[in-house]
Amino acid sequence: MHCSICCKAFNGYYKKDRPTCVSCAQALLFTPRVQQASALLDREKRHTHAEAILRPGNDGVLAALPEDADWDAITSAVQSEGVKKAQDEQKAIQARVEDITGKAQELRQQIEDYRHYLKNHRESNSQRRRDLEHERAELQKQKPRALEPLQLATRKAASRLDKVRLRTVDARALLCREAAALSGLRKTEGTDGVSQYWLGDVPIPDLRALNGKLNLEKYEMGRKGMLYQPHEVVTASMDNVCRLLGSCCHYLSVRLPAEILLPHNDFPHALIMMEKASYRQKSVPWPYKSHSQTSSPAASRLIDPQNGGSASPRSLHLTKPLRDLQKEDSKAFGYFVEGASLLALDVALLCRTQGLDIVNTFDDFCAIGRNLFQLLSSPEQQRLPLDRHPSSATAKTSRSRGKPAGTTSLGVYSHGSAHHSLAGYEGIDILSAWRLPSSSRLVDKLRSFFMNEISGAEWDFLSDKEWDEERADEMPVLVGGERKAASRQDPAMSIMTVTSHDRNDISTQNERQRGTSGWTKC
């Protein structure tokens, strides 16, 4: 552009031309302004074209066409294309409808088939149900005739088993009573009216009378007429009771809570095991190799340090009077008291399991002889004789109580039989209502009884030498024979029970009246 004033040409190529006036400046800026306006217009056009293309429908297609396009040809082509596309869509829809129709027809056919199948199946089930009802009715008619032989055989077998069981029970009771009779178990009435029980011509002492109060100085044992010490009689009585108890438990197949070790080779006296250590050792050696019951090495080998001696067997024999044993060896005294208590507990439990409910207090617990006699030899406890030919309809059994009819159940309950087993719920039911205290409480009570009796005694025991040193004015009044006539005297005897061992003196002593023997207070 040329300046209208100075006529300079400003085309942008000559940088040396510089504007000199206002018209030169306008001429210099005209060309860039035109170029900027053209660029803006071109940009606006392209933006409008892009928006037209992006719009949905035919507007975008039409906007995208060039301006010199043939609109008639384009319109006819678009119409023909739309018709063709519509026809294709119609054909696809028609084919899909045909497929759906065929599938529906197929499903209708399947439904009809299933209906026909269900109808046939219903009819078949109805027929089978009618057949089953008919067969069930026929079976109910034939059931009594079919079960009658089996029921008859079952009743006969049950009757035979009851006979065998009753005979077994009678045989057990007979063996126990015969063993008691052969062992010499009997009862005598003393002059004071107190009952005394004997086993093998040896008295069975009460546990509370073991502390030197047996009054056995006048009792003659053996053929030579020797007088035995009270503790020797206690030892013999304990051994006899253990033998009888072992035989009866073997016949009855009863397992006692405290195991009894009967005398045998190298085993002179019976021992008894604690309840927790019973039936665990196959062979137990004799623990008392000497007269001492605590210092023997064999005895120490049986003591478990962890159990505190609970595995050691408890002795049932005495080598000296019980009061002397308590003063010299308190441990051996405690072992003997435990052993005697366990033996009494075995007798009480045997009575309880055999239907004899007579041991419920401490006094009953201590009466070993009375309990054994009531169980094995009492006339009131004899069973009725067994009927050898009972009918199957009149079986003499008490089904409601679960034991045979009779006045006692000696031989009924056992650990060795499946019927009336003591290892089952019947044995638990028998012992559940037992009012006797536990074994530890019974041992403590018997030990405290002995300790109180020994510590609170109002009489003293004097030996022969002490009597020889007495002066004439200090000599006590003796009841019975002379003091110096005794050639052998038990330290357990009191000052008024000194007797002579001559046969003539024995006969005179037996004629002594009641009230002339006993303990005399110093």
Side-chain angles (χ1 to χ4, degrees):
M1 185 178 179
H2 299 274
C3 180
S4 61
I5 297 175
C6 59
C7 296
K8 288 183 179 182
F10 295 98
N11 51 7
Y13 296 102
Y14 301 99
K15 294 182 181 180
K16 60 182 181 177
D17 295 336
R18 299 206 179 259
T20 58
C21 61
V22 178
S23 180
C24 291
Q26 292 178 354
L28 181 62
L29 295 175
F30 181 77
T31 303
R33 287 180 178 175
V34 172
Q35 292 177 356
Q36 183 182 8
S38 299
L40 291 175
L41 291 175
D42 186 54
R43 179 176 175 272
E44 183 68 22
K45 180 180 180 181
R46 293 183 181 278
H47 180 69
T48 304
H49 183 68
E51 287 182 352
I53 293 175
L54 294 175
R55 284 197 302 267
N58 295 327
D59 293 339
V61 179
L62 296 176
L65 294 176
E67 296 179 357
D68 56 348
D70 190 0
W71 292 97
D72 295 334
I74 291 173
T75 303
S76 61
V78 170
Q79 291 178 354
S80 60
E81 187 67 23
V83 171
K84 184 178 181 181
K85 186 177 180 180
Q87 291 177 354
D88 293 339
E89 291 179 357
Q90 186 178 3
K91 291 180 180 179
I93 293 173
Q94 188 67 26
R96 187 177 178 185
V97 169
E98 292 178 357
D99 293 339
I100 293 174
T101 305
K103 191 67 176 178
Q105 187 65 26
E106 183 179 354
L107 291 176
R108 291 192 190 94
Q109 185 64 32
Q110 290 180 1
I111 292 173
E112 189 66 25
D113 294 340
Y114 279 123
R115 287 176 179 173
H116 184 67
Y117 169 76
L118 290 176
K119 182 180 179 181
N120 296 336
H121 195 63
R122 245 184 238 108
E123 293 178 356
S124 176
N125 288 341
S126 300
Q127 182 63 32
R128 292 177 61 186
R129 192 177 295 109
R130 288 191 294 270
D131 295 341
L132 287 176
E133 291 293 338
H134 178 70
E135 292 178 0
R136 186 179 292 109
E138 293 294 330
L139 181 61
Q140 291 295 332
K141 293 179 181 179
Q142 298 177 2
K143 186 176 180 179
R145 290 179 295 177
L147 292 180
E148 185 177 357
L150 182 60
Q151 294 175 351
L152 181 59
T154 303
R155 288 194 296 269
K156 290 182 179 180
S159 176
R160 288 194 298 268
L161 289 178
D162 287 339
K163 291 179 183 179
V164 172
R165 183 170 57 82
L166 291 176
R167 292 173 183 173
T168 304
V169 169
D170 287 342
R172 289 173 179 172
L174 178 62
L175 288 174
C176 292
R177 293 193 179 94
E178 290 297 328
L182 292 176
S183 298
L185 182 62
R186 56 190 175 89
K187 174 184 176 182
T188 58
E189 295 289 342
T191 56
D192 53 355
V194 179
S195 300
Q196 180 67 47
Y197 299 93
W198 303 78
L199 184 60
D201 291 335
V202 177
I204 304 176
D206 192 281
L207 291 185
R208 295 165 296 179
L210 296 180
N211 188 24
K213 296 195 300 181
L214 298 177
N215 197 18
L216 300 173
E217 291 81 3
K218 298 183 293 181
Y219 179 63
E220 181 179 356
M221 296 174 57
R223 297 180 180 179
K224 297 182 180 181
M226 296 181 60
L227 289 177
Y228 287 87
Q229 304 293 342
H231 62 271
E232 295 176 352
V233 177
V234 169
T235 300
S237 177
M238 291 293 183
D239 289 343
N240 291 344
V241 170
C242 289
R243 290 189 184 94
L244 178 60
L245 201 59
S247 300
C248 292
C249 291
H250 175 69
Y251 297 146
L252 298 174
S253 298
V254 174
R255 190 173 186 176
L256 298 175
E259 181 185 6
I260 297 177
L261 305 178
L262 297 177
H264 53 275
N265 294 335
D266 298 330
F267 217 87
H269 298 288
L271 298 178
I272 190 167
M273 301 292 294
M274 298 295 291
E275 293 177 291
K276 295 181 179 180
S278 298
Y279 308 102
R280 293 186 178 181
Q281 302 181 19
K282 294 184 179 179
S283 60
V284 178
W286 177 252
Y288 310 110
K289 298 299 182 182
S290 62
H291 293 286
S292 175
Q293 293 181 328
T294 56
S295 60
S296 175
S300 63
R301 287 196 299 269
L302 292 176
I303 298 177
D304 189 359
Q306 297 180 355
N307 297 332
S310 61
S312 176
R314 299 311 190 238
S315 63
L316 293 173
H317 63 281
L318 292 174
T319 57
K320 58 186 68 177
L322 195 60
R323 57 182 176 275
D324 296 339
L325 184 64
Q326 191 275 331
K327 295 178 181 178
E328 298 175 5
D329 194 345
S330 59
K331 188 175 182 180
F333 169 78
Y335 277 8
F336 177 79
V337 172
E338 289 181 1
S341 301
L342 291 175
L343 181 61
L345 180 63
D346 286 348
V347 175
L349 186 134
L350 185 62
C351 294
R352 179 72 181 184
T353 55
Q354 301 307 312
L356 198 60
D357 189 13
I358 59 173
V359 184
N360 293 311
T361 62
F362 179 73
D363 297 340
D364 300 335
F365 168 77
C366 294
I368 299 179
R370 189 206 65 176
N371 298 337
L372 284 177
F373 184 81
Q374 290 290 335
L375 178 65
L376 302 176
S377 300
S378 176
E380 301 175 357
Q381 301 298 333
Q382 298 293 332
R383 284 180 52 85
L384 296 176
L386 177 65
D387 187 6
R388 297 297 181 180
H389 302 284
S391 62
S392 59
T394 60
K396 303 286 185 170
T397 55
S398 299
R399 300 294 182 183
S400 59
R401 295 187 300 171
K403 63 181 182 179
T407 58
T408 183
S409 58
L410 178 61
V412 176
Y413 294 97
S414 168
H415 286 98
S417 59
H419 202 278
H420 297 118
S421 175
L422 290 175
Y425 72 95
E426 295 177 341
I428 297 176
D429 185 59
I430 290 175
L431 299 179
S432 61
W434 201 11
R435 296 176 295 173
L436 193 68
S438 61
S439 58
S440 58
R441 292 188 178 182
L442 293 172
V443 171
D444 294 340
K445 192 170 184 178
L446 184 61
R447 185 187 290 110
S448 63
F449 177 83
F450 285 144
M451 295 299 295
N452 294 335
E453 189 178 41
I454 293 174
S455 61
E458 296 182 354
W459 34 261
D460 296 327
F461 298 93
L462 304 177
S463 61
D464 294 340
K465 295 181 179 181
E466 292 176 342
W467 282 111
D468 294 339
E469 295 176 359
E470 291 177 348
R471 296 179 300 179
D473 55 349
E474 294 181 351
M475 293 183 62
V477 178
L478 300 181
V479 180
E482 296 181 355
R483 171 177 53 84
K484 294 185 179 180
S487 60
R488 181 176 178 269
Q489 179 177 341
D490 180 19
M493 297 180 182
S494 66
I495 59 178
M496 49 75 60
T497 56
V498 180
T499 56
S500 174
H501 285 260
D502 297 336
R503 294 187 179 272
N504 297 330
D505 295 340
I506 293 174
S507 60
T508 19
Q509 291 173 6
N510 292 333
E511 298 175 357
R512 188 177 300 167
Q513 298 296 327
R514 179 182 176 184
T516 59
S517 62
W519 301 101
T520 301
K521 181 178 179 181
C522 296

